[in-house]
Amino acid sequence: MIKKISVDELAPGMEIVQLSADVWHQLPYLYAKPGIIKDEAEIRRIRAKGFLQTFIRLAPSPENEGLSDEERPEKLVNIREGDPRRKPRKPFAQTIENARKAYTEALAQTKRIINDVKMGRQVDYISSAAALEGVIETAMQNSDTIICLSKLSRYDSYTYSHSINVAAISVVFGEYIGLSRAELTTLGVAGMMHDLGKTAISNRIINKRGRLTRSEFEQIKKHPVYGLNILQKSDDIPMSVLRAVEEHHEKYNGTGYPHGLTKDDISVFGRILSMADVYDALTSDRSYKHAILPNKALAIMYGMRDQDFCAREVQMFIKCLGIFPSGSLVRLNTGDYGVVFESNPEKPLLPKIKVILDEDLHPIPAQLVDLAIPDNGNALKIMECADPAQHKVNLRPYFIAHKDLPQQEEKG
Ligand SMILES: [Fe+2]
């Protein structure tokens, strides 16, 4: 099990973990060289170089022994007391088409807003809220469709997709914890607009692939306040949106920016955006890095509890998205591969899947199986998540008809 800690907590013998999360290797304050810490002198050197945090592997304990990082969130969500309510949902197949339209409409609005800001125009709150109605509607009917689209959504450049993914994931989580319809709208708009301040920062820094210098990172750290300044030029942006945008990089333990707020001093919307932002950044496939599998990303986020996130809230987030979020490719006990269509909040290991590939990764006629029904024929079980990129599997056609696929592009 991994855990994010302050370098002040480092001790000889601890193992620094190699994370495949390139998104953090850019950060100047995260120590990420894998290996065992030899002695105090090494810790002093790490501290002297100005590193502040690192990820370590926790020694096995009776509580977590024998469990892989992928299994731990499952244990975690199973021990949670009392589930937030989850309304009856419409079947995935009846909702996916509306979800796709809603996602596309919200994406178009995101582009308009970013363009407006670049042109010096005010942000249009009313039309942004209206463009999110479809996303909220489908999140309430069947949140799997929206999560699935956000996972498959190399629809456009990362900037646009990421904004709308953060909005969609935040709304799904907000619906899960019982926010009102009006709150979901403001939360969604906050997600859509959370990184608007990046338009005020040089593209050279925003798109830099290597580690940022400290002064470059100081520039990046200004984007929440820049975003706030941009939004304050419009009269009708709700205070909850302004706060969420300003606070989406604050961290539970006070090490975030711009203000170093802690715990409940960070608004609820700010805390939700922060989790959605990290989850989408980890699981998005950009031209220079591969996406981390959803279950791995959730395990990493669990390792950030008490540091970046409130432990209870990140547990709820994991529970909401499920161990195998829809859109995940999974390997089955038969050797065949399936894609997760509908998560099962009560039984996270038993979602509805579509079996699509045989053990040699050859396509087979798609067969929908509900793993929660004991009598599903073959007692199918999920063995592990598989990486679509590694296996060169394109999952998009299984969710969306070919003719509807928008052009893919990547502008960074
Ligand atoms: Fe941001």
Side-chain angles (χ1 to χ4, degrees), residues 5-16 36-40 43 47 56:
I5 62 166
S6 153
V7 296
D8 291 337
E9 299 170 67
L10 269 180
M14 284 183 172
E15 182 189 352
I16 308 291
I36 305 289
I37 297 289
K38 288 190 205 69
D39 48 28
E40 290 289 349
I43 297 171
R47 220 182 268 138
I56 58 156

Side-chain angles (χ1 to χ4, degrees), residues 230-241:
I230 289 165
L231 294 177
Q232 278 176 328
K233 290 178 189 158
S234 306
D235 301 328
D236 54 355
I237 311 283
M239 182 56 77
S240 57
V241 173

Side-chain angles (χ1 to χ4, degrees), residues 162 193-198 220 223-224 245 248-249 257 277:
H162 177 63
M193 299 179 174
H194 78 283
D195 266 349
L196 272 185
K198 284 190 175 172
I220 292 274
H223 81 270
V245 169
H248 76 274
H249 283 288
Y257 57 86
D277 187 24

Side-chain angles (χ1 to χ4, degrees), residues 32 84 156 164 178 186 205 262 264 289 350 352 356 371 403:
D156 218 310
I164 201 58
T186 43
I205 298 178
T262 58
D264 291 349
K289 78 166 185 75
L350 302 172
K352 276 189 196 160
I356 55 170
L371 298 183
K403 63 182 171 54

Side-chain angles (χ1 to χ4, degrees), residues 51-301:
F51 290 108
L52 297 177
Q53 293 112 18
T54 189
F55 280 89
I56 58 156
R57 193 178 308 285
L58 287 181
S61 67
E63 194 187 80
N64 62 37
E65 204 160 12
L67 290 173
S68 70
D69 282 346
E70 289 75 20
E71 289 168 317
R72 232 166 306 277
E74 167 222 334
K75 187 169 181 231
L76 175 82
V77 295
N78 281 341
I79 59 169
R80 259 203 78 245
E81 290 168 26
D83 285 344
R85 67 200 163 78
R86 190 128 193 186
K87 293 176 195 133
R89 300 177 300 170
K90 273 194 182 177
F92 188 98
Q94 285 178 26
T95 326
I96 183 69
E97 184 54 25
N98 282 344
R100 189 191 65 77
K101 283 182 190 150
Y103 190 95
T104 308
E105 187 184 341
L107 192 65
Q109 177 63 15
T110 305
K111 282 187 187 182
R112 274 193 293 274
I113 293 171
I114 291 177
N115 201 36
D116 282 350
V117 169
K118 284 181 177 166
M119 303 291 284
R121 289 194 285 262
Q122 288 191 0
V123 168
D124 186 343
Y125 177 77
I126 302 288
S127 52
S128 301
L132 275 172
E133 281 305 292
V135 169
I136 294 165
E137 196 60 39
T138 43
M140 293 171 83
Q141 289 173 349
N142 187 323
S143 58
D144 286 322
T145 55
I146 283 289
I147 291 297
C148 181
L149 285 173
S150 72
K151 258 214 85 248
L152 301 172
S153 68
R154 274 283 305 285
Y155 275 80
D156 218 310
S157 76
Y158 179 74
T159 310
Y160 302 131
S161 305
H162 177 63
S163 299
I164 201 58
N165 288 349
V166 169
I169 294 163
S170 299
V171 164
V172 166
F173 182 65
E175 197 270 336
Y176 181 69
I177 61 172
L179 297 186
S180 70
R181 178 72 184 237
E183 288 169 323
L184 292 179
T185 300
T186 43
L187 176 62
V189 172
M192 188 188 247
M193 299 179 174
H194 78 283
D195 266 349
L196 272 185
K198 284 190 175 172
T199 57
I201 296 173
S202 140
N203 275 338
R204 185 190 64 76
I205 298 178
I206 297 289
N207 295 328
K208 185 170 175 181
R209 297 182 185 187
R211 192 180 277 273
L212 296 166
T213 66
R214 303 228 165 125
S215 74
E216 286 167 345
F217 190 54
E218 289 307 310
Q219 286 296 309
I220 292 274
K221 282 163 73 175
K222 291 178 182 166
H223 81 270
V225 171
Y226 289 159
L228 174 70
N229 294 342
I230 289 165
L231 294 177
Q232 278 176 328
K233 290 178 189 158
S234 306
D235 301 328
D236 54 355
I237 311 283
M239 182 56 77
S240 57
V241 173
L242 298 178
R243 273 195 72 185
V245 169
E246 189 181 11
E247 295 171 358
H248 76 274
H249 283 288
E250 298 288 357
K251 296 188 197 313
Y252 183 76
N253 67 355
T255 59
Y257 57 86
H259 303 304
L261 300 178
T262 58
K263 300 183 179 176
D264 291 349
D265 287 340
I266 309 165
S267 63
V268 172
F269 284 10
R271 280 149 38 204
I272 294 175
L273 290 196
S274 165
M275 290 193 286
D277 187 24
V278 169
Y279 179 76
D280 187 62
L282 289 177
T283 55
S284 292
D285 205 355
R286 299 184 69 173
S287 56
Y288 56 87
K289 78 166 185 75
H290 280 308
I292 292 180
L293 298 179
N295 59 335
K296 272 252 157 61
L298 292 173
I300 289 172
M301 287 179 68

Side-chain angles (χ1 to χ4, degrees), residues 355-374:
V355 185
I356 55 170
L357 303 168
D358 68 15
E359 56 192 322
D360 298 319
L361 296 165
H362 295 135
I364 52 178
Q367 186 196 352
L368 189 64
V369 181
D370 185 347
L371 298 183
I373 300 175

